[in-house]
Amino acid sequence: MERLGGQVGRQGTAAGEQVRQRFGALLEAHRKIVFKVCHTYCRHADDRADLAQEIAAQLWRAYPGYDPERPFSTWMYRIALNVAISYVRSDGPRQRLAVPLDEDLHDLADDSADHEAAQRVRALHRVIQQLEPLNRALLLLYLEDRSYREIAEVLGISETNVATKINRLKQRIRDDLTA
């Protein structure tokens, strides 16, 4: 099984330049994954930028171990979510103390003529922000229409566990939104 990168990517050779270009192209093609993960875990624009940079750096460090036989997006999600969960856990106390103006919700309120729909979206965002980091990852992947198999591979849990957790999450969200 061929692995990419390794020391070749870091030696400044022509082969290393090809690895860097290939990585850059893959990162660019899948950059929305990084943005989605950052928006799921960070409320402040500065924190999202810091997290995106940390994810990109960790992806580059892990790239020599990437198996091109497997989907890049699945590998990328796994690393991005692990970095984001670690980031939230290490930065949790500061985030709980801060109450920022949520730019996304502010934009939604300004752009939406349907006040009731905007309130439902705000309520859903509040519920999502209260979820544990692993459940947020699960919900993000589920809302992206990822298969249970992909979700299981990204999160390192069984498909049965994915199905169980998603059903529990749906019920929890329903309960929270109707409370």
Side-chain angles (χ1 to χ4, degrees), residues 50 52-53 59-60 81 114 121 123 157 172 174:
D50 288 346
Q53 189 170 11
L59 286 167
W60 175 245
L81 288 170
D114 185 356
V121 170
I157 59 179
R172 180 175 168 187
R174 266 188 235 112

Side-chain angles (χ1 to χ4, degrees), residues 40-79:
T40 300
Y41 287 93
C42 295
R43 298 173 73 185
H44 299 271
D46 291 343
D47 290 342
R48 287 192 295 264
D50 288 346
L51 180 56
Q53 189 170 11
E54 183 61 31
I55 289 170
Q58 188 57 38
L59 286 167
W60 175 245
R61 278 186 227 118
Y63 189 61
Y66 167 64
D67 178 0
E69 304 278 324
R70 305 183 78 137
F72 184 79
S73 63
T74 302
W75 176 82
M76 186 178 204
Y77 256 123
R78 179 173 227 165
I79 290 172

Side-chain angles (χ1 to χ4, degrees), residues 128-173:
I128 290 170
Q129 288 302 318
Q130 293 172 356
L131 294 175
E132 301 80 21
L134 183 61
N135 282 337
R136 272 192 254 170
L138 186 67
L139 188 61
L140 173 68
L141 295 168
Y142 176 75
L143 292 175
E144 286 226 327
D145 288 330
R146 299 282 171 168
S147 69
Y148 284 7
R149 174 176 285 178
E150 266 185 297
I151 294 171
E153 187 174 335
V154 168
L155 298 179
I157 59 179
S158 71
E159 287 183 57
T160 304
N161 201 356
V162 168
T164 301
K165 286 181 176 285
I166 285 175
N167 284 331
R168 287 181 184 158
L169 261 177
K170 286 179 184 176
Q171 186 60 49
R172 180 175 168 187
I173 290 170

